[in-house]
Structure formats: C-alpha cells, structure tokens
Amino acid sequence: MGILLLKNFVCVVIFLENRSDLALECYESGDKTRLSGVAVKEENGVTTVDVLNDEGAAAIGKPVGRYVTLEVNSFVYDTDIFDGRLDDFADILHSLLPENIGCALVAGLGNNNITADALGVRTGEYILPTRHIINDLKKAFGTDSIMSVASVATGVLGDTGVETAEIIKGVASQIQPSCVITVDALAASSPDRLGTTVQFANTGITPGSGVGNHRHEISAETLGVPVISVGIPTVVRVSAYDKNVGANAYVTPREIDRIIQQGAKLIGMGINVTLQQNLTAQDIYALVG
C-alpha cells in the first residue's frame, strides 16, 4: 500500500490486477459489436447487462446472470434520498429477488477502518432487522406483513481470521434465509462512476475481485439460496488520471466520507423499502435513521 497525491484524490493502493467490478464497464471496454452471449438494454438511467452463456461470461469476465446499473446524482452533493430514488432502487432489487421470501439475510462486507471499503458495514446501520422483534412490529403497525430480516457485518479476514463467505454461510445455516443480499464497495475503471452508480447483480459476489484480492465466492452455488449483490464504486484506477503511474494502483476521491455516508443510507433504506412493502419509507427511517 502506498500514498500518492492527485488533485481531489487520495489513498493509492497497489494490487495485483487491473479490472472493474462493473459489468457495464467490462462490456464497454470490449468490442461491443462482437460480444456474443451478452445482451444490453438501457432505459431511463438504468442499464441491464445480461450475460447469457459461457461465451458471454468469457467475453466480459463476469458469471452468467443479470447485472443492473442505476445512475444517480452524485452522493457528494446529495441531501435527500426521498426524491424518487428509493422507488427506482426498490423496483430493481425486487426484480432480482426470489418470490415468496420468508426471511432475508443482509450481509455488509468490508473494512470499517478504511473508509473506501466501509460501504457494507455502514449500510448495516440503516438496515431494519426484524427477525428478533417481528411479532412486536406486527402488533405496533397493525399488519401481519412484516418480513423477517437479519443483518450481519462480516468484517475482514485480517481482523477475524474467518473468511467472509464462511461467516455468511454459518449464519445462513442457522437462520435459513430465503435469500442473501450482500453489500460491498466496488472498483471502477472510470472516475465518472464514483459515487454516481449503483450496481445490482443476481450472481452473488467474490469480495475483492475488482482489485485483485480474491476471496471465497458468495453465491447460490456456495450458500444454496439466491444471492443478490449491491454495491457502489468507491475506487478507480490511477491510470485513468495519470498514464505514467502503474496500472495496478487505485485512488479514492477526497469526498469519500460523504459518498460512503449517503451511499450507505440509500442502499440500506432501499433494501428496507423493498423488503417491508407495507411500511412507509418515512416510518422505516424513523426506526433506523
């Protein structure tokens, strides 16, 4: 790890690979007219990349599945999430979730001691866990339609000595969720994506893959239930700014604290609104905000 000062950017980290977590960027970097097995649709600030088969997966380096990118106003200048974005977020997430969910497990990934990697942990602060008080909530709000939700922050291997995938698998084996929603910070190849993009995927996640720090896969194959991943790009390649700097270096914007704070709020509340459809966003925020 090293430090390099660029205008408006700090904290350069050296890794082994040079790639992006965003399926849309992987598609854009390829020869779009020749990417067989990949279908792309763009509408009203939402871009859907469907990787249809193994040929498509090989072409963009992403597993077969659906990747949805939601463009939002920069979190740097964000002041209010109750402007319609929660509805857009909920519509996308709902479309990727399985039907008839009995219980959902939300897992926040990352390192709370490194701001650019703290998105998953901070998102947990806005998640409304209901599994332990579900009967009380049903009585308080006068409805039986409260979903059972559990939330866990996994920490990182260096602090816990336990792989993130192992922690999630252990918790899932105990509470038997219908699905798992993971939240993690992502790496981008374009600075324009930082704090302005939310990616959803129904393929699960391999933590650290965007910056070459591959950990164990968290997916339907490893957990036995659908895994939906949600993330925001928080780091970008230095080479996007300075071609003379090694390609395996990444930077994060000076406003990263604001991006993490507002991004976590949007994702946390977006998950709440998706799962608790019989509660208003304002009621949920009063409980967690």
Side-chain angles (χ1 to χ4, degrees):
M1 179 179 294
I3 299 296
L4 178 68
L5 295 180
L6 294 175
K7 186 177 180 181
N8 296 324
F9 286 80
V10 294
C11 190
V12 175
V13 187
I14 307 301
F15 295 103
L16 299 176
E17 296 185 13
N18 183 17
R19 54 172 297 178
S20 171
D21 282 316
L22 301 180
L24 178 57
E25 286 189 334
C26 294
Y27 170 76
E28 291 172 340
S29 67
D31 187 348
K32 303 178 200 178
T33 62
R34 302 178 62 182
L35 289 184
S36 177
V38 181
V40 178
K41 178 183 178 181
E42 182 176 357
E43 185 176 4
N44 298 326
V46 177
T47 304
T48 301
V49 177
D50 284 312
V51 180
L52 305 174
N53 50 39
D54 291 341
E55 185 178 2
I60 69 170
K62 298 293 179 185
V64 173
R66 172 162 291 184
Y67 304 81
V68 184
T69 302
L70 172 65
E71 296 179 10
V72 296
N73 294 329
S74 173
F75 291 118
V76 175
Y77 309 106
D78 184 34
T79 58
D80 182 15
I81 62 172
F82 300 101
D83 59 359
R85 279 175 297 166
L86 284 177
D87 294 332
D88 295 337
F89 185 107
D91 287 344
I92 295 171
L93 181 56
H94 186 266
S95 72
L96 297 175
L97 291 173
E99 297 182 357
N100 302 317
I101 298 174
C103 175
L105 172 62
V106 181
L109 283 57
N111 189 341
N112 198 39
N113 295 317
I114 300 176
T115 304
D117 194 33
L119 179 68
V121 180
R122 305 286 173 82
T123 295
E125 299 173 4
Y126 293 97
I127 295 297
L128 177 63
T130 62
R131 182 172 176 268
H132 60 309
I133 54 172
I134 191 165
N135 290 329
D136 294 333
L137 288 174
K138 288 179 178 179
K139 182 177 179 180
F141 287 98
T143 177
D144 288 330
S145 299
I146 301 292
M147 184 176 295
S148 177
V149 177
S151 177
V152 60
T154 64
V156 291
L157 181 63
D159 290 336
T160 65
V162 184
E163 287 279 359
T164 296
E166 293 174 331
I167 293 174
I168 296 175
K169 188 173 184 178
V171 175
S173 69
Q174 291 297 310
I175 70 173
Q176 298 293 308
S178 303
C179 66
V180 173
I181 301 172
T182 65
V183 182
D184 198 10
L186 307 177
S189 60
S190 168
D192 294 335
R193 304 285 187 191
L194 298 180
T196 64
T197 299
V198 182
Q199 177 176 268
F200 306 75
N202 65 358
T203 59
I205 187 173
T206 302
S209 60
V211 291
N213 183 26
H214 293 270
R215 307 313 313 170
H216 292 184
E217 178 182 309
I218 303 165
S219 67
E221 286 70 26
T222 61
L223 297 184
V225 295
V227 178
I228 312 302
S229 64
V230 184
I232 294 172
T234 61
V235 296
V236 66
R237 296 178 300 177
V238 180
S239 57
Y241 294 92
D242 189 343
K243 301 299 183 183
N244 296 318
V245 177
N248 296 331
Y250 284 76
V251 291
T252 191
R254 294 185 186 276
E255 302 88 355
I256 189 61
D257 292 271
R258 181 69 176 174
I259 291 174
I260 294 297
Q261 176 189 359
Q262 295 302 108
K265 184 186 296 185
L266 174 66
I267 293 177
M269 283 298 299
I271 291 173
N272 292 333
V273 169
T274 305
L275 299 178
Q276 307 297 352
Q277 297 188 14
N278 288 284
L279 301 181
T280 68
Q282 287 73 18
D283 283 342
I284 295 172
Y285 191 67
L287 294 172
V288 301

